[in-house]
Amino acid sequence: MQFFKNGGNEKEEICVVNGAKGASLEETLAKVDHLAECKAENQQLQAAATLDDATASLTLADTSVESLLTITTAGSVFTEKDRAHIRSIWTPINDYMIPFETTNPAAPQEGDKVRFIPILEAPGGRDKDPATGHRRDSIPIATQIALQEDCYEKCASAIFYFLDDSQDEAAREGNVALFRYLRQFATGVVVRVNPGTLSSGAQANLDGMLTDLTVSSPGIRIMTHPHTQQLMGAKDSLVKIRDLRFGLKDTSVYYDAPSFREGFVRSIAFRPRVVKQNRGSQGEGIWIIKLKDETQYCANYGDAVVSLDTELVLVEANDNHVEYHTVGEFLEFAIHGRTDQAGVWESTGTGRYLDGDVESGAMLVDQRFLPRISEGEVRCNMVGSQLVNLVHKVPKSGTLSATLQSGAMYTSYSPDDPKFARLVESYRADLPNIMKALGMEGEPLPLLWTADFIFDYDEQGNDIFYVGEFNC
């Protein structure tokens, strides 16, 4: 893993950490949410963590909270209201934090150069540890950042909340104060905001502020940058990589209602489908769809289209509940939500998957259903280009969803485990081509990201794997 100067134009290794303080930074970053939840045994990793010589460092002249929060930033002094807000969203990490405790001999002292790399989260959502209110990997990541003082004299971290400000002017003012603060002190920001936690308006505000931060302070490294997250995390990434060896060629994307109406009646006439909304998480708005009369599938894609009164069987991936609707009712729910024409839905979601525009994430991806999904998914956990481990997510018996919420069981494997040797070989061969396929040739891979693979067979009956989702 590397941190780059000025958006990646220059790279300089300062040191290599191989677990001198217990778990290395790479090892800690590998502890993604689901591994913590299922108490999987931690792997002994060989990955190394490197830090660059930051263009901006913080020299401590006065380490009190009041002095740090009243520094003039961009011609404006932090008000007491600003300081109160920053305190209210702040989770300090160990002894390495801002403000620093100068009475603690382990803390940075006057004259020390400090790299401050905080974690940015959003409150709420189903991805939080009830005991801490944070994502399960955020505190370990921040803690390990704070332990890297031998890389650059002193390192510091903390966890901040970005508040949903789409309808709240006070939250908006607080978020602005936070970003002024980050502009003053941060050398990097690790973004851990799960898609769907914030409203679409607040997410757009966060992305805009992060982009502005990189423009106004080019020495600050954003991990992962909104541009990369949007292109790679969006469901239409599956369409862009469909010509790679792990892509499904008959994958389509719909950005508006007319294309959805036209495309879906053709695709469902050929084979069972998986239709995925772009927003949301934990499987909400991801539907496994089959014709109720499975004898009616046509032999070749495009040979037929179904009528609006054709009956469907739908399973939502978040909780495996089953619904029965016509094609017309499904189209109505997906486009307009809970209307009289949509019928009665048991889903906890609201539909309306195409509301807004492409920039706000409005799209539906239509992918062929792979029957071996009943065997689960294999998640590749990545730190940059480093494959850290694999997790086989096996659905609860008789179901198809691989989320913890639905009762799936998770088992962790090392990258060299022979069980998934074919997957790892194919994945590593395609890895250098991913960013180019996504339209980001020359840009680095995200800091923390995952790829979920689904089982299938090749013509000789050997296991092959197709990407079902990227997360970053």
Side-chain angles (χ1 to χ4, degrees):
M1 177 182 66
Q2 286 101 13
F3 292 83
F4 295 95
K5 290 182 180 179
N6 297 322
N9 296 322
E10 184 177 356
K11 177 179 69 177
E12 180 181 356
E13 290 191 3
I14 297 299
C15 71
V16 177
V17 180
N18 284 309
K21 293 182 176 294
S24 70
L25 178 59
E26 298 266 3
E27 195 168 16
T28 300
L29 293 179
K31 296 179 181 177
V32 293
D33 300 350
H34 63 266
L35 292 178
E37 290 181 72
C38 66
K39 300 181 180 179
E41 182 177 350
N42 189 21
Q43 303 294 317
Q44 295 300 312
L45 307 174
Q46 299 298 318
T50 61
L51 295 171
D52 73 310
D53 184 12
T55 57
S57 63
L58 175 62
T59 300
L60 303 180
D62 184 336
T63 58
S64 70
V65 62
E66 296 305 316
S67 65
L68 285 171
L69 289 179
T70 54
I71 295 292
T72 299
T73 305
S76 177
V77 176
F78 286 102
T79 66
E80 178 56 38
K81 185 177 180 181
D82 293 338
R83 296 195 295 272
H85 174 78
I86 292 173
R87 289 190 194 97
S88 72
I89 61 170
W90 190 333
T91 298
I93 298 297
N94 293 358
D95 299 316
Y96 299 88
M97 58 184 181
I98 296 178
F100 298 105
E101 298 291 342
T102 56
T103 57
N104 187 320
Q109 304 297 308
E110 181 176 340
D112 285 346
K113 291 182 178 179
V114 179
R115 182 187 307 282
F116 181 46
I117 306 174
I119 313 293
L120 192 60
E121 287 192 346
R126 294 181 291 183
D127 58 345
K128 304 298 191 298
D129 182 349
T132 66
H134 297 296
R135 298 186 71 171
R136 285 171 168 81
D137 54 1
S138 290
I139 289 179
I141 291 171
T143 300
Q144 287 301 311
I145 289 172
L147 289 174
Q148 305 306 315
E149 73 273 9
D150 50 351
C151 283
Y152 190 76
E153 296 193 29
K154 299 291 182 182
C155 292
S157 191
I159 302 175
F160 292 104
Y161 279 141
F162 183 92
L163 302 183
D164 196 314
D165 57 7
S166 58
Q167 306 282 332
D168 189 333
E169 184 59 33
R172 174 71 173 172
E173 292 175 359
N175 288 338
V176 171
L178 169 62
F179 271 77
R180 290 173 48 232
Y181 187 74
L182 295 177
R183 185 182 294 118
Q184 176 70 20
F185 295 114
T187 53
V189 179
V190 178
V191 183
R192 303 293 294 130
V193 178
N194 206 22
T197 303
L198 293 170
S199 66
S200 58
Q203 184 68 55
N205 290 340
L206 170 61
D207 293 345
M209 287 185 177
L210 288 169
T211 301
D212 178 69
L213 197 61
T214 60
V215 173
S216 60
S217 303
I220 297 178
R221 175 75 168 155
I222 305 299
M223 303 164 281
T224 295
H225 194 281
H227 174 68
T228 301
Q229 187 174 35
Q230 288 165 9
L231 289 181
M232 193 168 193
K235 294 296 188 290
D236 63 351
S237 63
L238 301 176
V239 179
K240 297 174 184 177
I241 58 93
R242 63 186 173 188
D243 292 325
L244 299 183
R245 66 180 67 193
F246 56 54
L248 272 174
K249 294 189 182 298
D250 60 333
T251 302
S252 302
V253 61
Y254 312 119
Y255 297 110
D256 54 46
S259 63
F260 178 41
R261 291 181 185 278
E262 179 181 354
F264 180 70
V265 295
R266 179 174 290 105
S267 66
I268 191 61
F270 172 55
R271 289 291 185 272
R273 310 299 294 180
V274 180
V275 176
K276 310 178 184 185
Q277 71 151 324
N278 188 46
R279 297 176 282 241
S281 62
Q282 296 293 311
E284 190 268 316
I286 297 178
W287 295 95
I288 300 164
I289 308 173
K290 300 180 180 181
L291 296 180
K292 188 174 182 180
D293 182 355
E294 295 193 63
T295 67
Q296 297 301 308
Y297 291 116
C298 61
N300 302 294
Y301 182 82
D303 282 354
V305 297
V306 297
S307 64
L308 294 181
D309 60 359
T310 300
E311 294 180 311
L312 302 174
V313 181
L314 306 98
V315 178
E316 193 169 15
N318 63 332
D319 58 9
N320 288 305
H321 83 276
V322 181
E323 304 211 21
Y324 301 89
H325 295 279
T326 65
V327 169
E329 287 172 339
F330 173 63
L331 292 172
E332 179 69 14
F333 177 75
I335 297 169
H336 298 298
R338 298 179 185 275
T339 67
D340 292 341
Q341 291 74 30
V344 177
W345 287 75
E346 298 177 19
S347 172
T348 58
T350 58
R352 304 177 63 128
Y353 304 133
L354 295 173
D355 275 8
D357 51 25
V358 176
E359 287 70 25
S360 64
M363 68 180 73
L364 282 166
V365 167
D366 182 351
Q367 200 170 34
R368 175 162 40 97
F369 173 71
L370 299 175
R372 292 186 71 191
I373 188 64
S374 61
E375 300 175 40
E377 298 175 353
V378 181
R379 169 163 288 187
C380 291
N381 290 310
M382 305 292 298
V383 179
S385 61
Q386 178 78 37
L387 174 59
V388 183
N389 67 354
L390 302 94
V391 179
H392 188 190
K393 306 188 294 182
V394 181
K396 183 179 178 181
S397 178
T399 68
L400 298 175
S401 175
T403 65
L404 286 171
Q405 180 186 359
S406 65
M409 296 295 294
Y410 289 9
T411 304
S412 181
Y413 296 86
S414 66
D416 59 357
D417 194 295
K419 182 178 178 68
F420 295 113
R422 288 176 60 87
L423 166 59
V424 172
E425 179 184 7
S426 175
Y427 183 41
R428 285 177 169 161
D430 262 346
L431 199 58
N433 304 316
I434 291 177
M435 298 304 280
K436 179 179 180 181
L438 296 174
M440 296 183 285
E441 186 174 8
E443 296 186 28
L445 288 160
L447 174 66
L448 291 165
W449 62 288
T450 67
D452 290 346
F453 288 84
I454 303 171
F455 292 82
D456 200 7
Y457 292 114
D458 64 15
E459 294 178 355
Q460 289 74 43
N462 299 313
D463 286 343
I464 56 174
F465 299 84
Y466 293 109
V467 168
E469 186 173 48
F470 291 120
N471 289 286
C472 67

